[in-house]
Amino acid sequence: MALSRLSLRSNRFLKPTPTLLRHVSTDTTPITIETAVPFESHLCDAPSRSVTTSSSEILTFFRDMARMRRMEIAADSLYKSKLIRGFCHLYDGQEALAVGMEAAITRKDAIITSYRDHCTFLGRGGELVDAFSELMGRKRGCSNGKGGSMHFYKKDACFYGGHGIVGAQIPLGCGLAFAQKYNKEEFVTFTLYGDGAANQGQLFEALNIAALWDLPAILVCENNHYGMGTATWRSAKSPAYFKRGDYVPGLKVDGMDALAVKQACKFAKEHALKNGPIILEMDTYRYHGHSMSDPGSTYRTRDEVSGVRQVRDPIERVRKLLLTHDIATEKELKDMEKEVRKEVDDAVAQAKESPVPEPSELFTNMYVKDCGVESFGADRKELKVTLP
Amino acid sequence: MASLLGRFCRKMVVPGSAHGGARLVSTTTSCESETVKSLNLYSAINQALHIALETDPRSYVFGEDVGFGGVFRCTTGLAERFGKNRVFNTPLCEQGIVGFGIGLAAMGNRAVVEIQFADYIYPAFDQIVNEAAKFRYRSGNQFNCGGLTIRAPYGAVGHGGHYHSQSPEAFFCHVPGIKVVIPRSPREAKGLLLSSIRDPNPVVFFEPKWLYRQAVEEVPEHDYMIPLSEAEVIREGNDITLVGWGAQLTVMEQACLDAEKEGISCELIDLKTLLPWDKETVEASVKKTGRLLISHEAPVTGGFGAEISATILERCFLKLEAPVSRVCGLDTPFPLVFEPFYMPTKNKASFFCSSVSSPSKTHTFSCRH
């Protein structure tokens, strides 16, 4: 079912608007491109399919997505060589979401997500070295090596991080939005969750609160069609996730199209600041299994995965766009990919150099530093916390 | 997932398997002629679930991905054998799964529900504590959900990180009205799971995921049950009593061997059921040895070891020759890169064994405090 729905979509590529072609990659002159798939809306008017962008932006999309893809592939092999431990969930296939969202918002808008968080972190401006260091539990990591794959954070870019329990980050995101509204900041919170989490009760509790108090909360359902090994149609009575907010407006977006994602997020931000919460259902796909322990081939066919790769791949789509618009040549893009590959390899090498945290770090950050957690006893098994 | 978990696991010997001391209550009459087969822990669980569904047409197995066999393969083949009306996947919603199970059980059925990892059981905590545990009591025995059994893999696997390693048993041991059971080996797992499913009370059954593939033991093929709330002395000794459960017994068994080399004779007890627990067996042992060491993976503060310690102190105060020791997880969140420091390892356990058993070392140990 999911297969047919996915592969029948979007054979048409993005249509160029004539007369606005530029040949220089740094060109920021606005150009307009129409999305291949129309938006579907619930309780609101859909935004226009004509997206304003520029040569330079599309080229940035390409580079950023290629970097994300390469990072995830490197993470895959690091996991297999046991340099990454713990649980590791990869994002490849969904990159358009991370870049499209960033193009529409600022780093003062908050993002909170689940455990599939590597690329969201990069999107927020995170460094590759910090990502790989965290993956390998090294000191240099974005959470000082204490979080691992599922727990990336970046405070200076308002990235409230990766959360381990399915759906648990959704009410948190609404709390962030409440703070933004209360402080009269003109910013919004993007709360990302998957189609699996959409069946958790916490979502509906949070939705009610957000709608009741008109919070600037944007709930982004990253519908990659599988909650672990369960296809959406097996677990959701209504797989139209953008309509499941009932009284909360929603928008269904082609999540494999970075420009459509950008358009939707821009629209959602304006909507949320004016009217309160909105749900964005991003129709996307993950190439890897749910986690590194899941080959991802037992509950879906290989044909389904390769079909999506051929027809809907977010990077290939942007590549075609760049070529048909004469923004870059095939060779330029290939060179760019080579650079990205080197960047990633260098980052991995650098991350490997970073030491693991000091053993004493085992006892830090449980309480405020000043509370002074001390360990003692023959095996340091006892902790003492001095309260102020 | 299971395959990867298994790959990094330590090699192990199942404690107590050589003694064969488990009291098996056979539900068939011809158990003497029954065959035994070498099985790992997840296969033993799988066998128990097959038997449970086979012997009671009003029993059901459900949870996230169980229709496909589950992430640890415990439910392999069940949906094919018993049909999708009795073995089925649920959406990803722990609170809903347990609540649904309570309702199903309240109508007189046996609901065997799976929470994919014990770390994910917290969204269902309210349903277990407030709904399942108190249903019989608050309705004056008109209603109950005794047919409910909640299975969840718990504990460390060597690299599970924060959310795939926790041991939450102590939270549930604070809840009168449910039973908490943890098996140590394949044979125990099969017998205890069948007892739990057939027990007329709601049971939380934690399975040591480290042992799913690593522990292999001769398991009788027939339908048998191991009584709940009966601890077992799996190794006899005179100098010190060690109490544990689940995967930790493997570590403690090795600590016993180490201590034995130093001439300390250890008695090892598998508690099996933590709530309600078999105080008498532990009491009798401590009265004989005069010393007690408790070990579990969960953090030491507020762990179930504290309860055992308090009870034994009340019952055996005058017989004790050393303070009760606890070798447990540290009081930190379950760490990612620091797992080896966090864990109550064999060396920590044997250090405590010898320090509480020999007067000179006790002195050294006290000074360190």
Side-chain angles (χ1 to χ4, degrees), chain A residues 30-42:
Chain A
I31 55 173
T32 312
I33 286 171
E34 190 158 315
T35 63
V37 182
F39 298 103
E40 283 179 65
S41 68
H42 168 69

Side-chain angles (χ1 to χ4, degrees), chain A residues 218-279:
Chain A
I218 295 153
L219 299 168
V220 184
C221 177
E222 296 183 276
N223 179 5
N224 61 24
H225 298 273
Y226 295 93
M228 295 184 292
T230 306
T232 48
W233 64 271
R234 291 176 188 270
S235 62
K237 176 68 183 169
S238 160
Y241 295 101
F242 68 110
K243 290 183 184 167
R244 285 174 70 171
D246 184 11
Y247 41 80
V248 174
L251 201 63
K252 184 169 180 177
V253 185
D254 179 4
M256 302 298 263
D257 177 353
L259 288 170
V261 172
K262 176 190 157 187
Q263 184 81 334
C265 291
K266 195 163 154 267
F267 171 84
K269 183 175 172 180
E270 284 162 17
H271 174 99
L273 285 172
K274 220 161 63 192
N275 311 309
I278 179 168
I279 297 178

Side-chain angles (χ1 to χ4, degrees), chain A residues 82 86 146 230 293 381 383, chain B residues 1 8 65 159 162 326 331:
Chain A
K82 295 185 190 174
K146 292 174 82 168
T230 306
S293 336
K381 71 168 183 170
L383 295 189
Chain B
M1 197 165 292
F8 306 127
D65 292 337
H159 68 292
H162 311 302
R326 288 176 289 160
D331 283 336

Side-chain angles (χ1 to χ4, degrees), chain A residues 25-26 40 79-80 101-102 152 154 164 220 247 322 357:
Chain A
S25 59
T26 51
E40 283 179 65
Y79 193 93
K80 284 172 182 154
M101 187 166 61
E102 289 296 340
F152 281 22
K154 188 164 170 55
V220 184
Y247 41 80
L322 289 164

